[in-house]
Amino acid sequence: MSLNKEEVFKQAVSILKTRIQELKEERKAISDGILEDDKSSAGDKFETGREMLTQDLRQVESQITSNSNLLDEIYRVQSVKSQSSNVREGSLIRLAGEYFLIAAAVGKITVNEQGLYLISAASPLAQSVMGKGSGDKVLFKGKESPVELIA
């Protein structure tokens, strides 16, 4: 199956926007919980409950920021349209039967029923394939595997 890089970017953007929206809804629910707890509680139980909700809120805020940064990174990499015969940031490659897009650390996604991984250019795997051309071999999962540059 052939993957279209633009479809991969589109799916990644959609996934990240959905994650961010869900996290914003969770943030609102936690904030509402803090306000509701404020109205009905008193004493040590109140303080403990409120602190737990505050920690949850901080964690959700951190996840929103992290996913927003990933989305910005996807947009940045997507905007670079230059072609190269060597692997670089923005390259879609196949290695040992698995597909990878070197863009941002989003993880595994599915596009047209094909699974692939979005990895950061700073990841060890990306660093090992950067600058390689189609057919060049790299050590992957304990064995030499040829790099196939898709797009």
Side-chain angles (χ1 to χ4, degrees), residues 5 101 144:
K5 190 162 58 169
L101 177 66
E144 290 272 317

Side-chain angles (χ1 to χ4, degrees), residues 19-20 22 25 29 33 43 62 72 88 90 115 120 126 145 148:
R19 279 185 198 169
I20 292 167
E22 289 170 352
E25 289 169 9
S62 174
D72 290 345
R88 61 177 175 73
S120 165
S145 298
E148 184 183 344

Side-chain angles (χ1 to χ4, degrees), residues 77-118:
V77 173
Q78 185 181 20
S79 71
V80 177
K81 299 291 183 188
S82 66
Q83 294 290 355
S84 175
S85 60
N86 293 333
V87 178
R88 61 177 175 73
E89 188 175 45
S91 292
L92 177 61
I93 64 167
R94 185 173 166 192
L95 186 61
E98 296 184 52
Y99 291 91
F100 300 89
L101 177 66
I102 302 171
V106 176
K108 187 172 185 176
I109 68 169
T110 302
V111 178
N112 298 329
E113 300 179 16
Q114 175 65 55
L116 73 142
Y117 298 90
L118 272 72

Side-chain angles (χ1 to χ4, degrees), residues 22-72:
E22 289 170 352
L23 287 165
K24 286 180 177 179
E25 289 169 9
E26 187 175 345
R27 175 179 62 191
K28 182 175 180 351
I30 292 169
S31 294
D32 291 348
I34 289 172
L35 292 174
E36 188 61 35
D37 205 24
D38 203 16
K39 296 176 188 172
S40 64
S41 298
D44 290 342
K45 185 177 173 184
F46 162 74
E47 291 299 325
T48 301
R50 185 178 180 118
E51 180 57 31
M52 289 174 64
L53 287 171
T54 302
Q55 288 176 6
D56 289 346
L57 187 60
R58 279 191 212 112
Q59 184 177 17
V60 168
E61 287 289 347
S62 174
Q63 291 173 349
I64 290 171
T65 300
S66 175
N67 280 283
S68 295
N69 290 340
L70 287 173
L71 184 60
D72 290 345

